[in-house]
Structure formats: structure tokens, C-alpha cells
Amino acid sequence: MRRLLAAIAGLFGLTGLPYLVYLGMDWVLDPDGSPADKRPAEPTVSIVLPTYNEERIVEGKLSELVSLDYPMEHVEVVIVDSSDDGTRERVRAFFEDRDAPTLTLIEEDERRGLAPALNDAYAAADNEMVVKTDCDSRIADDALREAAANLADPEIGGVTGRNAEVLGGSDVETGYRDIQSRIQVLESHLDSTLIFHGPFSAFRNDEIVPVDPDSIADDTELALRIRHNGKRVIFDPAIRYKEAAHSRFGKRRRQKDRRAMGLLRLLWRQRSMLGRFGAYGRVVLPFNWWFMFVSPWLLMGGLGVASVAAIAVGGPIGVAVPAGVVGFVLAGSRDALGPLQAAYSLFDTQISLFRASVTLLRGDASAVWTVDQELREVYD
């Protein structure tokens, strides 16, 4: 019995060891803000906006973009659309009497997936700084200026921002984003961050390269390729956006599992970068490999072994262990864990990564996403 308990404790301890190392590095380095040598700049900007059946929300997004604190005569909006609703008509009507910003509308006859659409949009973007944003997000007025200030540093090839407010009031997502932001600040000060966010990512145009047509993590893949080619790709918490999210367990799986699949597949395909490219390949990528590949299996395995052992030893009383896990999930998905909510947010992410890895092993991954109509209502 003692050996079994020691094995279970060792399994959970092994799972958490890299997190303790990262916490120690964060405590020692105490990084803050962007590591870039930021300076005021006003490059020409191409804002890339992929759309699919955004008829209800596209005008609101376009109104936001033309109201940003940036000279619109320096801006073009590149929209790549594969809709079968009235999105294109609303886009044309919005720009009909406007001199600035200019519009480039790429019309697709069939839905091929986000990565091929973005490759076409990036190829059509003419300006010095290319910003990719999503229709179902909102960005801060100064986002373009903050991004331009980062890219004014010649060592920086790309920059992403933080979800400053989770629309819909999900404490699960808020807790996860707070932890993720701290990790990304540390990664950026070490070298570069891995994950780039769809609501706002900005790149030097001359650093953009095509991503794989079946990519499910297009923003992160582009950033990773830019780092591969020599430029740093960083996170700046001063670049703020808003995005909606669910807390309910089942709804989060539909929202998060696809993203997890994209990141897992990308890391596997780019595994040759491990150990190379400075601290990016020696520290940042190994930590993310542990977090995304190893830790979810250790955690799920540990919970499974602990549950089986508790039932085998304690009989009906031992059911309290799996029941406690279920209760933890139910309370967490209802934002009812108080100070433990942040821990649940990490646990929830590990569940998505575990499920995503199983899906990938089955060969079921798809590059085409399903529109979440419930979250769309937040932006109406």
C-alpha cells in the first residue's frame, strides 16, 4: 500500500516539476512587459480579417477597426471570405463611400479552411506591418500603435497580445489567460513565446511565410516559422483584446479541443527545433512539450490509478476519490471554486490537451472549424 501511495505521489510530483522550475525562473528574473526596444512608429498596416458567415457581427468589427487610434490613410483591410450568407454584401456596403482605409476583398467559392485563406490574404497584403485579427474579438484602440512600437525593434518579427477581458464572464478562461500571460511574458524575455493569439497578432510583412494548408494553429505556426528564420516573436501585455469564452465543461471542449489539436500537431511537426534556436529551443519548446504532450497523460494516468487504488482498498468509501474529481469539475465549470478556480483552469486545459492527443492518434483532426453561434451573440 505504501509503495502504491508513493508511486501515485511520485507521478503527480513528476507532473508538476517543470511548472515549479518555470515558477522559479519567473521569481528570479521577475520579467515585466515587452522585452522589445519599443519606440513610436507609424508603418503602413494591412489588417487581415478572415470571415465565414459573419453577417451578424462583421459591421461591428469593421466599425471598430476604422475607429482605431491610427491614421487610416496608412491602413488597408484585407478580407478573405468564404461565406454563404450576406457577409460580403455588408462588407462592400460598409466601404462603399470610404476613402480610407482601403479594402481588398478576396472571395472564395468554397470553404477550404482557415490556413489556405490566410495564406492568400497574407500574399495580398501590401503594407509593412500585417495584423491578423478575428471577427469575433474586440481590440483596444491603441493596439496598432503598441504593435508598431514592438516591431520597430529590428530583432522582433512578430508580436501578440493578451485577452484583457473575457467576454461572457468565464472565470475558467480568465484564470487560464492570467496564468498563460505570465508564462508568455517569461518566455518572451527568455527568447520568444510559442503561442500567438488569433484575436490579435502582428508581423513584419517581409518575415511572413506560408503555413501548412491543413494547419489548425495558423497564428502560432507563422510565429514559429518566423522564429525559425531568425527573428524573435514575443508577447506584449500592453496589446489588449477581448474574446468570448465558455465556462461549462462540454461547451469548453468544443471551443478548446480544436485549438489543442492544432498546437499538438504543430509541435510534433516542428520537433526538429528542440534544442536549437537559443533559449527558444532549449527552454520554451521543451516546457511546452511537457505541458502539452507529457503532463496531460501523467495527470490523467495519475487520477486513474488513484481512483482504482482507492476503490480497490477502500471499497465503497474509495468512490470518494473519483467523486471528488467529478465534483471538482462540476464546481469549476460553474465558476464556483473561489481561490481554487485558477488551478481548475489549468486542469481544464490539461483535459483538452489529453482529449486532443487522443483525437490526433485516431486521425480525426479537421482544419475546418464550426461557428459557435452562442458566442457570436456576445458580439451582436
Side-chain angles (χ1 to χ4, degrees):
M1 183 61 183
R2 288 182 179 178
R3 290 181 179 179
L4 180 60
L5 290 175
I8 294 172
L11 196 59
F12 285 122
L14 181 62
T15 303
L17 182 60
Y19 305 113
L20 294 177
V21 172
Y22 244 47
L23 281 172
M25 294 172 64
D26 184 70
W27 182 78
V28 171
L29 297 175
D30 193 25
D32 183 52
S34 169
D37 180 14
K38 294 173 68 172
R39 63 197 77 169
E42 279 190 0
T44 57
V45 180
S46 296
I47 300 177
V48 169
L49 181 66
T51 56
Y52 173 69
N53 288 356
E54 317 284 3
E55 181 179 27
R56 295 166 55 188
I57 63 173
V58 70
E59 289 181 71
K61 181 66 177 183
L62 295 175
S63 295
E64 170 199 84
L65 294 180
V66 302
S67 300
L68 294 174
D69 177 22
Y70 207 82
M72 286 296 115
E73 62 271 18
H74 293 175
V75 178
E76 68 167 341
V77 178
V78 181
I79 295 179
V80 55
D81 181 70
S82 57
S83 302
D84 53 20
D85 65 356
T87 299
R88 296 175 194 178
E89 289 71 22
R90 292 184 181 270
V91 169
R92 292 193 192 96
F94 185 89
F95 282 95
E96 187 173 10
D97 298 320
R98 293 180 183 273
D99 295 326
T102 58
L103 169 68
T104 298
L105 178 59
I106 302 172
E107 302 182 43
E108 295 190 321
D109 295 329
E110 61 178 346
R111 193 181 184 202
R112 298 175 296 157
L114 184 56
L118 285 174
N119 283 337
D120 289 348
Y122 290 144
D126 290 330
N127 291 336
E128 299 163 287
M129 183 172 82
V130 178
V131 170
K132 186 263 180 176
T133 186
D134 294 331
C135 219
D136 56 346
S137 67
R138 294 290 178 262
I139 58 179
D141 288 345
D142 62 352
L144 295 183
R145 292 197 178 278
E146 292 290 347
N150 280 276
L151 295 183
D153 184 336
E155 293 186 1
I156 307 302
V159 63
T160 192
R162 68 182 177 96
N163 192 349
E165 180 182 345
V166 178
L167 301 177
S170 170
D171 287 348
V172 180
E173 187 69 9
T174 298
Y176 172 66
R177 294 290 182 160
D178 289 345
I179 295 169
Q180 184 185 53
S181 293
R182 192 64 201 172
I183 290 172
Q184 290 195 274
V185 168
L186 173 61
E187 291 176 341
S188 297
H189 281 262
L190 290 171
D191 185 304
S192 296
T193 193
L194 172 67
I195 297 176
F196 263 51
H197 303 292
F200 191 96
S201 294
F203 308 96
R204 291 176 177 269
N205 196 336
D206 56 4
E207 295 294 333
I208 291 177
V209 294
V211 298
D212 290 337
D214 64 345
S215 177
I216 316 177
D218 43 90
D219 307 295
T220 297
E221 180 176 340
L222 177 54
L224 183 146
R225 289 182 181 274
I226 290 172
R227 180 63 188 90
H228 183 279
N229 291 337
K231 295 290 186 183
R232 292 173 65 189
V233 286
I234 61 171
F235 171 85
D236 183 1
I239 299 174
R240 298 161 296 133
Y241 64 83
K242 301 177 184 179
E243 187 182 28
H246 294 293
S247 280
R248 296 289 183 176
F249 184 83
K251 292 178 180 178
R252 281 188 69 78
R253 301 288 69 78
R254 291 193 294 272
Q255 184 182 19
K256 303 290 285 190
D257 289 7
R258 179 180 173 276
R259 297 178 185 179
M261 282 190 289
L263 292 169
L264 287 169
R265 190 163 69 176
L266 175 62
L267 283 174
W268 177 254
R269 289 179 174 178
Q270 301 296 330
R271 59 191 181 276
S272 63
M273 292 184 68
L274 283 168
R276 304 166 60 198
F277 306 97
Y280 187 68
R282 293 195 291 267
V283 180
V284 174
L285 290 183
F287 173 79
N288 280 280
W289 265 77
W290 185 273
F291 180 77
M292 296 184 195
F293 279 100
V294 181
S295 176
W297 284 87
L298 288 177
L299 181 60
M300 295 302 115
L303 289 175
V305 171
S307 297
V308 171
I311 293 172
V313 173
I317 298 176
V319 176
V321 173
V325 174
V326 171
F328 181 66
V329 170
L330 290 175
S333 68
R334 289 170 170 77
D335 298 329
L337 284 175
L340 293 178
Q341 196 65 44
Y344 175 75
S345 299
L346 278 177
F347 179 77
D348 175 85
T349 301
Q350 295 285 281
I351 291 174
S352 274
L353 289 163
F354 178 78
R355 286 166 52 92
S357 63
V358 172
T359 300
L360 286 170
L361 289 172
R362 292 174 177 171
D364 295 336
S366 171
V368 177
W369 79 99
T370 301
V371 174
D372 190 322
Q373 295 295 347
E374 184 176 342
L375 288 182
R376 284 291 193 273
E377 293 177 3
V378 177
Y379 301 96
D380 280 349

